[in-house]
Amino acid sequence: MRVRISKVVALAAAIVLTGAVSVAGTSAAVAGTHVRTKPTIVLVHGAFADSASWSGVIERLQQRGYPVVAASNPLRGLSSDAAYVRTVINSVPGPIVLAGHSYGGAVMTNAAAGDPDVKALVYIAAFAPDKGESALELSNKFPGSTLGDTLAPVPLGDGTNDLYIRPELFRRQFAADVSKQQASLMAATQRPVRDAALSEGSGDPAWKKIPSWFLIAGADRNIPVEAQRWMADRAGSRATIEIRKASHAVSVSNPGPVADLIVRAATAR
């Protein structure tokens, strides 16, 4: 049982930690004399993106009265990224629903392990690794990913590289169902992932003990669709939805269905 801090201090801490926090007004639903608090939704972005990629989802969740925190995933290494996200969720009082996109799914799989306040995991075109598995291994488990041919490495001087998607290839690879103008902005503001993060093996997976929901992007060029389906089935997903023509950037192109699935997880019994 961890020590909780006050809601005001928790929110201030989350602002400092994430740099991208959105909180809806009231989060209580009253039924007679019983007050039930809605869970906080914590969103974890993946590689080649940032917290702004959740903007449309955040707007819809806020409209339904959910407090939301969009964590700024460091994208440096799986264990260190998970440790950072764990500090974010530790700052949030009450029950939590975690949603992760792409590599963010692997991060939340590790960050939520053993946390009794995390009530649900929602994987949005995301990795759900088992112990020892890496994002790179899972992306190559089934044919279909074309990501490798689009990457531009930038040496970091320690034998590792930052990886970017080449801007001229970004829309086709990552966001084919997003407008050309928006995809251009996404390409220019993409955050690189360190190659070591994609090859680092996972720890004990939270999905073995916490209920999970999956959204599969049917036209994903980063994570093969068959890999997404396989991971959802292995995790015993309570509900899996598939958007047939969605690109990897499904949280940007289809924020409504993404928000709907998160709410479905948040209200499940």
Side-chain angles (χ1 to χ4, degrees):
M1 179 66 69
R2 63 170 178 259
V3 177
R4 288 295 187 183
I5 58 181
S6 72
K7 190 166 186 177
V8 173
V9 176
L11 178 56
I15 291 172
V16 172
L17 284 168
T18 68
V21 177
S22 303
V23 178
T26 181
S27 60
V30 180
T33 58
H34 176 68
V35 178
R36 179 177 172 274
T37 301
K38 288 186 175 181
T40 298
I41 313 301
V42 177
L43 306 170
V44 185
H45 69 80
F48 320 114
D50 60 15
S51 294
S53 62
W54 294 108
S55 294
V57 176
I58 292 170
E59 181 180 8
R60 286 159 175 80
L61 292 172
Q62 287 181 328
Q63 288 171 351
R64 300 189 199 190
Y66 285 91
V68 184
V69 175
S72 184
N73 188 354
L75 306 177
R76 300 294 85 192
L78 182 55
S79 56
S80 61
D81 293 343
Y84 174 83
V85 171
R86 194 174 298 115
T87 67
V88 175
I89 63 178
N90 283 348
S91 75
V92 176
I96 294 167
V97 171
L98 268 175
H101 172 247
S102 189
Y103 167 74
V107 172
M108 77 173 185
T109 294
N110 287 264
D115 192 325
D117 290 323
V118 178
K119 305 304 181 184
L121 303 170
V122 186
Y123 291 87
I124 308 298
F127 292 109
D130 202 345
K131 186 172 183 178
E133 291 178 340
S134 69
L136 182 62
E137 176 185 349
L138 288 169
S139 66
N140 291 323
K141 189 173 184 66
F142 296 89
S145 177
T146 57
L147 178 62
D149 293 336
T150 71
L151 296 176
V154 177
L156 295 175
D158 61 356
T160 67
N161 298 281
D162 262 349
L163 301 176
Y164 294 84
I165 297 176
R166 298 205 300 272
E168 69 274 16
L169 301 176
F170 186 92
R171 187 185 184 206
R172 182 175 180 221
Q173 178 61 40
F174 195 89
D177 57 346
V178 173
S179 72
K180 184 176 181 180
Q181 181 179 16
Q182 188 171 11
S184 179
L185 289 172
M186 291 168 65
T189 58
Q190 65 176 297
R191 289 186 54 207
V193 63
R194 186 166 164 256
D195 54 8
L198 300 179
S199 59
E200 183 178 344
S202 178
D204 291 324
W207 50 258
K208 287 192 174 180
K209 295 184 177 179
I210 301 174
S212 60
W213 282 255
F214 281 72
L215 185 146
I216 294 168
D220 198 325
R221 292 175 177 267
N222 277 28
I223 306 176
V225 175
E226 285 304 315
Q228 294 180 49
R229 293 174 183 149
W230 180 80
M231 287 184 283
D233 183 65
R234 179 177 66 173
S237 173
R238 288 214 183 167
T240 301
I241 67 170
E242 183 167 332
I243 303 178
R244 189 168 61 88
K245 295 183 179 180
S247 72
H248 190 62
V250 62
S251 61
V252 177
S253 61
N254 290 271
V258 172
D260 288 345
L261 186 62
I262 293 171
V263 170
R264 187 171 175 180
T267 55
R269 295 291 178 268

